[in-house]
Amino acid sequence: DAKTTQPPSMDCAEGRAANLPCNHSTISGNEYVYWYRQIHSQGPQYIIHGLKNNETNEMASLIITEDRKSSTLILPHATLRDTAVYYCIVRGYNNAGNMLTFGGGTRLMVKP
Amino acid sequence: SQTIHQWPATLVQPVGSPLSLECTVEGTSNPNLYWYRQAAGRGLQLLFYSVGIGQISSEVPQNLSASRPQDRQFILSSKKLLLSDSGFYLCAWSGGWGYGYTFGSGTRLTVV
């Protein structure tokens, strides 16, 4: 699976949009981009995933660049409860066992 | 709907004692099952995964073992705990490639 690079930490004001970037320049054609988040002392929570089209659900939007080498997770109106570590993961079809490999993630701090 | 149960939530064990953590999934069949560990302030490390009954793949050589005696049951064990086994243990399941993970609520193990 392709490696991802994320900033270690970010701050966001409550009520503003949080834009979390992820670089995956070695992504291949059959690899999906997944986003999870982990609130302190809890298990990671699935947020969204996509292949090449932009995706939106009730939690967030995922914007994938045309060359698929980077993506951005957007939380449109961040709340204090969105404070968490956000993980960007790339996973491919040939991944035996369908494993997810977590990197360091981005620690998002939403401030009042 | 599918649910995942993991217990106990917290555990304090002396060095050299055995360990057994259990994870069960409801509402699905033949899930992929995973054990992750998260040391304090660190990322998630995949320990074991299983794609079927009796099929266990180990990602990291260590003091731990895993078993899958039933389709929806995944057990993490140790014969003799070490101080370095302390951490937050998470069980997860997946429906296979293209599906996200659902994590359990985790077990916080402290070896003293």
Side-chain angles (χ1 to χ4, degrees):
Chain A
D1 293 335
K3 181 180 175 179
T4 63
T5 304
Q6 298 178 254
S9 63
M10 291 181 62
D11 290 345
C12 178
E14 187 178 19
R16 304 297 293 268
N19 297 280
L20 294 99
C22 180
N23 185 295
H24 31 79
S25 58
T26 60
I27 193 170
S28 60
N30 64 358
E31 290 182 318
Y32 281 72
V33 179
Y34 282 79
W35 282 84
Y36 284 77
R37 73 178 182 184
Q38 186 178 22
I39 296 170
H40 183 63
S41 294
Q42 297 182 23
Q45 175 191 26
Y46 166 82
I47 300 174
I48 199 167
H49 75 282
L51 184 62
K52 51 184 175 182
N53 297 323
N54 297 339
E55 302 287 344
T56 296
N57 62 21
E58 64 278 3
M59 290 182 68
S61 295
L62 174 61
I63 308 298
I64 303 174
T65 58
E66 191 169 345
D67 63 7
R68 303 210 321 123
K69 293 185 176 182
S70 66
S71 61
T72 301
L73 179 74
I74 301 173
L75 308 179
H77 305 286
T79 70
L80 298 178
R81 288 177 295 178
D82 292 322
T83 293
V85 178
Y86 287 77
Y87 297 99
C88 169
I89 302 165
V90 171
R91 189 176 67 180
Y93 178 77
N94 292 325
N95 181 327
N98 194 37
M99 293 180 289
L100 280 180
T101 301
F102 288 80
T106 295
R107 185 172 298 277
L108 175 68
M109 180 72 72
V110 180
K111 299 183 175 180
Chain B
S1 62
Q2 301 90 358
T3 55
I4 180 168
H5 303 280
Q6 192 180 342
W7 66 92
T10 59
L11 192 60
V12 179
Q13 291 285 97
V15 169
S17 64
L19 172 73
S20 180
L21 301 180
E22 187 165 344
C23 172
T24 59
V25 181
E26 295 178 357
T28 187
S29 59
N30 198 31
N32 288 352
L33 297 171
Y34 310 85
W35 279 110
Y36 282 83
R37 175 172 62 196
Q38 188 171 35
R42 307 291 296 276
L44 288 99
Q45 179 187 36
L46 178 64
L47 301 176
F48 300 96
Y49 71 91
S50 172
V51 298
I53 296 174
Q55 301 179 60
I56 309 294
S57 295
S58 173
E59 288 298 296
V60 183
Q62 60 218 319
N63 185 41
L64 302 169
S65 62
S67 63
R68 184 169 178 174
Q70 299 180 46
D71 181 44
R72 290 169 289 177
Q73 184 185 31
F74 205 23
I75 298 172
L76 183 70
S77 304
S78 173
K79 292 182 180 178
K80 290 186 178 181
L81 284 169
L82 306 172
L83 287 175
S84 57
D85 292 323
S86 294
F88 189 43
Y89 287 82
L90 288 155
C91 179
W93 78 272
S94 167
W97 183 78
Y99 292 85
Y101 279 23
T102 299
F103 283 84
S105 52
T107 295
R108 189 162 301 282
L109 171 67
T110 303
V111 182
V112 296

